[in-house]
Amino acid sequence: MVAMETTGILMMLGMFILPFLIFGLVIYVYLAAVLMTIANKTNTPYSWLAWIPVGNFFLIFMIARLKLWYLLIIALLSFLSTFLMSGGRSESILGILGIIIYVIFIIFTIIITTRCWWRIAKLRGRPGWVSLLLFLPIVNLVILGILAWKDVKINNSSFW
C-alpha cells in the first residue's frame, strides 16, 4: 500500500519537474548556439566551449577580449564568501565578513559581466548600452539572438 502511494507521488513529482527540465534544456541549447555563433562571427578560437557548462564563461571572456584573471577573482570571491559563511553562525565576525565579501562578489560579477556583454555588443556592431537590456527577462533572449544572427550592414554614405 505504501509502495503504491510512493510510486504515485514520485510519478506526480516527475510529471511536474519534466516540463521544467525540458524548458531548461531548450534554453541551454539556445544560449550555447548563440554563444557559438557570436564566437565564430568574431573569429574567436575554441567556439565549441559554448557547449561546455563552465567553458562557456571562459568563451565569453575570450570573445570580449578581457583578461581571464577576472574569472579567477570571481571564483576566489565566491569560494571565500562561501567558506566564511559556512563556518557557523552569521553573527560571528567571520560570518559578517563572509556576507560583506559575498556582496562584493555579486557587485563585481554584475559589473564584469555587463562589461563583457558591452564589449561583445560593440564587436557585433551594436551600441554598448544594448548589454543593459540583458537584465530584462525574455528581452535578453531576443537581444542575444539579434547579437548572434543579425549582422549590421555598414552604410558607407553615412561616413564623411
Side-chain angles (χ1 to χ4, degrees):
M1 187 77 160
V2 173
M4 286 182 61
E5 290 175 2
T6 305
T7 304
I9 291 172
L10 288 177
M11 285 183 63
M12 285 177 37
L13 187 62
M15 295 296 285
F16 179 74
I17 292 176
L18 188 62
F20 290 105
L21 290 175
I22 292 171
F23 178 73
L25 182 64
V26 168
I27 294 295
Y28 183 79
V29 168
Y30 174 75
L31 294 177
V34 161
L35 198 55
M36 187 172 186
T37 303
I38 292 173
N40 288 333
K41 289 189 176 185
T42 56
N43 297 322
T44 304
Y46 310 114
S47 62
W48 52 268
L49 284 173
W51 298 95
I52 299 175
V54 176
N56 53 16
F57 292 115
F58 289 100
L59 185 60
I60 290 171
F61 278 79
M62 289 167 55
I63 294 170
R65 315 297 197 259
L66 286 178
K67 303 290 183 198
L68 292 178
W69 61 267
Y70 286 118
L71 277 177
L72 181 65
I73 292 173
I74 289 171
L76 191 71
L77 287 173
S78 172
F79 174 76
L80 191 60
S81 67
T82 304
F83 178 74
L84 290 175
M85 287 192 296
S86 67
R89 300 185 342 214
S90 62
E91 299 88 29
S92 70
I93 191 71
L94 291 179
I96 293 170
L97 184 61
I99 292 170
I100 292 170
I101 292 174
Y102 181 71
V103 170
I104 292 169
F105 158 70
I106 294 294
I107 292 170
F108 185 76
T109 303
I110 290 171
I111 291 171
I112 295 302
T113 305
T114 304
R115 183 171 179 214
C116 280
W117 284 106
W118 190 287
R119 292 180 70 149
I120 290 170
K122 299 285 253 178
L123 283 170
R124 292 291 297 136
R126 305 277 184 233
W129 59 263
V130 168
S131 64
L132 299 177
L133 296 175
L134 295 177
F135 288 104
L136 302 174
I138 308 301
V139 174
N140 56 8
L141 298 174
V142 175
I143 295 298
L144 288 172
I146 290 171
L147 286 175
W149 292 297
K150 187 162 183 181
D151 292 325
V152 175
K153 293 189 168 87
I154 297 174
N155 185 1
N156 290 333
S157 64
S158 67
F159 288 97
W160 303 75

